[in-house]
Amino acid sequence: MTSKRKGRVTLADLARAAGVSESTASRAFTRPDLIRDDTVERIKRLAIELGYSVDPHARALSTGRTRNIALIVPDIANPFFPPLVREVEAGAERAGYAVFLGDSDERAAREKVLIDRLDMQVDGFVLASSRLPAEQILELAERVPTVLINREIEGVQRVLVDAASGVREAVDLLAAMGHSTIAYLAGPPETWADQQRRAAVLGGAAAAAVTVTVIELGRPSYEAGRECVGSLIATGATAAIAFDDVIAHGVLAGFSLIGLNVPADFSVIGCDDVLAATTLPALTTVSGGSAASGAAALSTLLGLIDGAAPVERTALAAHLVHRASVAPARNIRR
Amino acid sequence: MTSKRKGRVTLADLARAAGVSESTASRAFTRPDLIRDDTVERIKRLAIELGYSVDPHARALSTGRTRNIALIVPDIANPFFPPLVREVEAGAERAGYAVFLGDSDERAAREKVLIDRLDMQVDGFVLASSRLPAEQILELAERVPTVLINREIEGVQRVLVDAASGVREAVDLLAAMGHSTIAYLAGPPETWADQQRRAAVLGGAAAAAVTVTVIELGRPSYEAGRECVGSLIATGATAAIAFDDVIAHGVLAGFSLIGLNVPADFSVIGCDDVLAATTLPALTTVSGGSAASGAAALSTLLGLIDGAAPVERTALAAHLVHRASVAPARNIRR
DNA sequence: TTGAAAGCGGTACCAT
DNA sequence: ATGGTACCGCTTTCAA
């Protein structure tokens, strides 16, 4: 029993100083209603004076509750996540929870390892864009409170950024602008977000009678966007909807590099609205709310932890934000 | 004693199943060298079979070590931090540590609260760009292993991105390009990073005989950068060095908005190199290594935790990365 | 309203 | 090489 850090003040010390039993001292914090007011006050005063604070481990060992939660993201460097993390963080702090952050590097195996390491140390999980197979998530969720962000699994609490409606708007806008051939720059096909957006583009295009070519990009990145411009033009499309803003941003750069003008020569629409108006031209995008999804997931999780049965599925409406990267069609090849 | 989650397998269960004492079962994991090889193997196999895993709280309570660390940042949404977080995260996982993330929202008070909440739950802290008064940091550091990033306090372990040399290069480049009047777009004056960069600009300018005006911007943001362009031009400067890339990016937008061309009409240099070549024009910047500082801080912290006495001060050299936002001077006013 | 004492799940010292 | 057992610091019956 390696004694802990420095001269930590324990509950026993506090109780002795206050001339009460440990039970009473403990209750002064956990069930003050059971203790005489003046006693409570005396103990609390003494606690501050002596610098006492409860040992979370000891408490957790005895209660089984940790007041910690875990947030797992596939890539903290992807601009979609920082605002989400920020909200979870802020909300957790308000509720008196601390948060473990795990970065799975987009790999299911790592995600699993992170979850296992954290499992016993938290009261619940928020899994953002989880890459784990559904069975594993189900198994986890029935054992410990778990909320998914942008992953759809029946029976598991989840918060979904419903980009579909916004993507429809995007397709309709392009159609209205005379774009009869467009492209969808796809994200990781294993993600719910891509599946949903892809379906929305395809569905919307069919309804509006526009032709769409899907270009697979793999890991969504600025470079991938920049480099796909050649094949993009080759499809004969006059406009593109990208899986996310990062890709769209790259596309913007790609066009600029070859001397083509967006939106005059080609229209581009992104998703997520995480770059705000910081691109040139300002990116027209489907705004869903990275931050909002974080906030929603957190409150759902807190509800779950407190034994409530929150809405199992929360859909956050997304809508198209018109900025400057879309204009009427005009054939760029001559 | 609210029993913990579901039917957790405890060490006692495992020991019973293996027909050994708890001591032996425990040692199979912590000191396998003390136990007969076949016994160790049998216990470990059984552990997997039964789904046993040690309870971190119980272990922490008894050993005083948590295998957790805390990372506190002022704003996870500031692009300087995600790569840093990523590195800390990755390194921690490799070493078998989990990481708590705290976002102080640039406020010392919140930072203090976060630290207090996490204090007992971690083996050490990494404080990035801490806003806390030096005494508080010193007090913390002498009680628990602590490493600072971009904060200079004698006696406390720290990792510093030494932008000075890179900033000098920047000033020299501008001078060589004929810019005789430049501006420094300052960051939060209470941060070490700003103090250091400001001094480097001022010092470098004096040495190169160029005039420099400092423009105070407060919280560094894209908007602040975009909006300061007017006053920037009013100073008569023909080039600017910004506290960070985010501000520089805003400045780029500001110029574009009023129809001025960077770098033809005005040269801009950033700091941190977190936007890579994603701006238009690609931003010339002082590259310090957000990621590198995270990695360095983590290994320093692990050293500290293991009782080593690592170098107290690690300076990461920064250098100028030439991209496209700088060109020879040319008076923009006529 | 308060106290005594039995855990919570491990670790590590002291024996054997 | 293994076992017995006293903690680690707190919560929570059960009694008084």
Side-chain angles (χ1 to χ4, degrees):
Chain A
M1 41 98 226
T2 311
S3 64
K4 319 228 8 171
R5 289 206 289 263
K6 275 306 190 60
R8 286 249 337 105
V9 181
T10 73
L11 191 63
D13 299 330
L14 178 60
R16 196 173 318 117
V20 299
S21 70
E22 289 188 42
S23 325
T24 302
S26 173
R27 281 191 277 252
F29 299 102
T30 51
R31 303 291 317 268
D33 51 303
L34 297 181
I35 305 290
R36 266 179 39 214
D37 288 7
D38 53 319
T39 311
V40 171
E41 224 169 309
R42 181 160 43 91
I43 294 176
K44 289 201 165 167
R45 190 161 31 69
L46 237 21
I48 295 176
E49 212 164 285
L50 302 181
Y52 168 81
S53 61
V54 322
D55 180 325
H57 298 298
R59 172 174 286 184
L61 186 55
S62 141
T63 62
R65 296 202 39 177
T66 66
R67 298 238 119 209
N68 292 149
I69 63 166
L71 168 61
I72 314 277
V73 301
D75 179 10
I76 184 66
N78 178 324
F80 180 77
F81 296 105
L84 185 162
V85 172
R86 216 171 181 299
E87 284 305 308
V88 171
E89 195 76 54
E93 216 231 288
R94 244 175 278 127
Y97 281 80
V99 5
F100 278 106
L101 178 72
D103 185 318
S104 70
D105 195 30
E106 319 242 12
R107 303 203 308 261
R110 260 194 75 156
E111 189 175 349
K112 185 78 175 80
V113 171
L114 285 168
I115 290 176
D116 287 343
R117 202 203 282 322
L118 261 16
D119 194 340
M120 315 246 46
Q121 271 187 105
V122 300
D123 293 338
F125 283 93
V126 173
L127 267 30
S129 303
S130 175
R131 258 60 162 170
L132 247 34
E135 326 85 71
Q136 287 188 35
I137 295 183
L138 272 163
E139 187 263 314
L140 176 70
E142 76 183 29
R143 205 161 41 71
V144 22
T146 300
V147 177
L148 271 24
I149 292 179
N150 281 359
R151 177 74 188 264
E152 176 104 83
I153 297 180
E154 202 67 38
V156 181
Q157 298 281 342
R158 54 207 188 273
V159 171
L160 303 161
V161 175
D162 181 20
S165 51
V167 168
R168 282 305 166 83
E169 282 184 69
V171 175
D172 291 347
L173 172 66
L174 292 178
M177 293 275 209
H179 296 272
S180 56
T181 307
I182 68 174
Y184 172 62
L185 308 177
E190 69 274 21
T191 62
W192 176 84
D194 180 68
Q195 290 157 16
Q196 188 216 32
R197 289 165 196 192
R198 187 184 298 243
V201 171
L202 262 23
V210 339
T211 307
V212 27
T213 308
V214 174
I215 299 183
E216 302 291 343
L217 255 37
R219 183 157 178 159
S221 71
Y222 179 83
E223 288 71 27
R226 198 183 49 207
E227 261 123 52
C228 79
V229 167
S231 29
L232 184 51
I233 294 175
T235 66
T238 55
I241 296 178
F243 166 71
D244 72 11
D245 280 4
V246 175
I247 293 173
H249 191 189
V251 170
L252 255 27
F255 275 111
S256 161
L257 236 46
I258 59 174
L260 250 29
N261 182 285
V262 172
D265 299 318
F266 200 97
S267 293
V268 176
I269 295 181
C271 269
D272 292 344
D273 196 17
V274 291
L275 266 20
T278 69
T279 60
L280 217 63
L283 190 64
T284 292
T285 188
V286 175
S287 179
S290 154
S293 67
L298 182 79
S299 66
T300 301
L301 181 60
L302 294 182
L304 259 188
I305 292 176
D306 292 340
V311 277
E312 182 180 301
R313 185 182 196 276
T314 306
L316 267 26
H319 60 280
L320 189 67
V321 175
H322 296 262
R323 287 205 266 257
S325 60
V326 172
R330 164 176 135 192
N331 200 326
I332 58 174
R333 285 131 28 119
R334 194 155 315 277
Chain B
M1 42 100 228
T2 312
S3 63
K4 320 236 0 176
R5 287 205 291 262
K6 277 306 191 63
R8 286 248 335 102
V9 181
T10 73
L11 190 62
D13 300 330
L14 178 59
R16 196 173 319 117
V20 297
S21 71
E22 290 189 43
S23 325
T24 302
S26 173
R27 280 191 280 252
F29 299 101
T30 51
R31 301 292 316 268
D33 50 304
L34 296 181
I35 305 289
R36 266 180 37 216
D37 288 8
D38 53 318
T39 311
V40 171
E41 224 169 311
R42 181 162 42 93
I43 294 176
K44 289 202 165 167
R45 189 162 32 69
L46 238 21
I48 296 176
E49 211 164 284
L50 302 181
Y52 169 80
S53 62
V54 322
D55 181 326
H57 299 298
R59 174 176 282 182
L61 187 55
S62 137
T63 62
R65 296 203 39 177
T66 66
R67 299 239 120 209
N68 292 149
I69 63 167
L71 169 60
I72 314 279
V73 301
D75 179 11
I76 185 65
N78 179 324
F80 180 76
F81 297 106
L84 184 161
V85 172
R86 215 170 183 299
E87 285 304 308
V88 170
E89 196 75 54
E93 214 230 290
R94 244 175 279 128
Y97 281 80
V99 4
F100 278 107
L101 178 72
D103 186 317
S104 70
D105 196 29
E106 320 242 12
R107 303 203 307 262
R110 259 195 74 157
E111 191 175 349
K112 184 80 176 83
V113 170
L114 285 169
I115 291 176
D116 287 343
R117 201 202 284 320
L118 261 17
D119 194 339
M120 315 247 44
Q121 267 185 109
V122 300
D123 294 339
F125 284 94
V126 173
L127 305 182
S129 304
S130 175
R131 257 59 162 174
L132 246 33
E135 325 85 69
Q136 287 188 34
I137 294 182
L138 273 163
E139 189 262 315
L140 175 70
E142 75 182 29
R143 206 161 40 73
V144 22
T146 300
V147 177
L148 271 24
I149 292 179
N150 281 0
R151 177 74 189 264
E152 175 103 84
I153 297 180
E154 202 68 36
V156 181
Q157 298 282 341
R158 54 207 187 275
V159 172
L160 303 161
V161 175
D162 182 21
S165 51
V167 169
R168 283 303 167 82
E169 282 183 70
V171 175
D172 290 347
L173 172 66
L174 292 178
M177 292 276 209
H179 296 271
S180 58
T181 306
I182 69 173
Y184 172 62
L185 307 178
E190 70 274 20
T191 62
W192 177 84
D194 180 69
Q195 290 157 18
Q196 188 215 33
R197 289 164 196 194
R198 188 185 297 243
V201 171
L202 262 23
V210 338
T211 306
V212 27
T213 307
V214 174
I215 299 183
E216 302 290 344
L217 254 39
R219 183 155 179 160
S221 70
Y222 179 83
E223 288 70 26
R226 197 182 49 205
E227 260 124 50
C228 79
V229 167
S231 28
L232 184 51
I233 294 175
T235 66
T238 56
I241 295 177
F243 166 71
D244 71 11
D245 280 4
V246 176
I247 293 173
H249 191 191
V251 171
L252 256 27
F255 275 111
S256 159
L257 238 46
I258 59 175
L260 250 31
N261 182 285
V262 174
D265 298 318
F266 200 96
S267 293
V268 177
I269 295 180
C271 269
D272 292 343
D273 196 17
V274 291
L275 267 19
T278 68
T279 61
L280 217 62
L283 191 62
T284 293
T285 188
V286 174
S287 178
S290 154
S293 67
L298 183 78
S299 66
T300 302
L301 181 60
L302 293 181
L304 259 187
I305 291 176
D306 292 339
V311 278
E312 183 180 300
R313 185 183 196 277
T314 305
L316 266 27
H319 60 279
L320 190 67
V321 174
H322 295 263
R323 287 204 267 255
S325 61
V326 173
R330 160 176 139 190
N331 199 326
I332 58 173
R333 285 130 29 119
R334 195 157 313 277

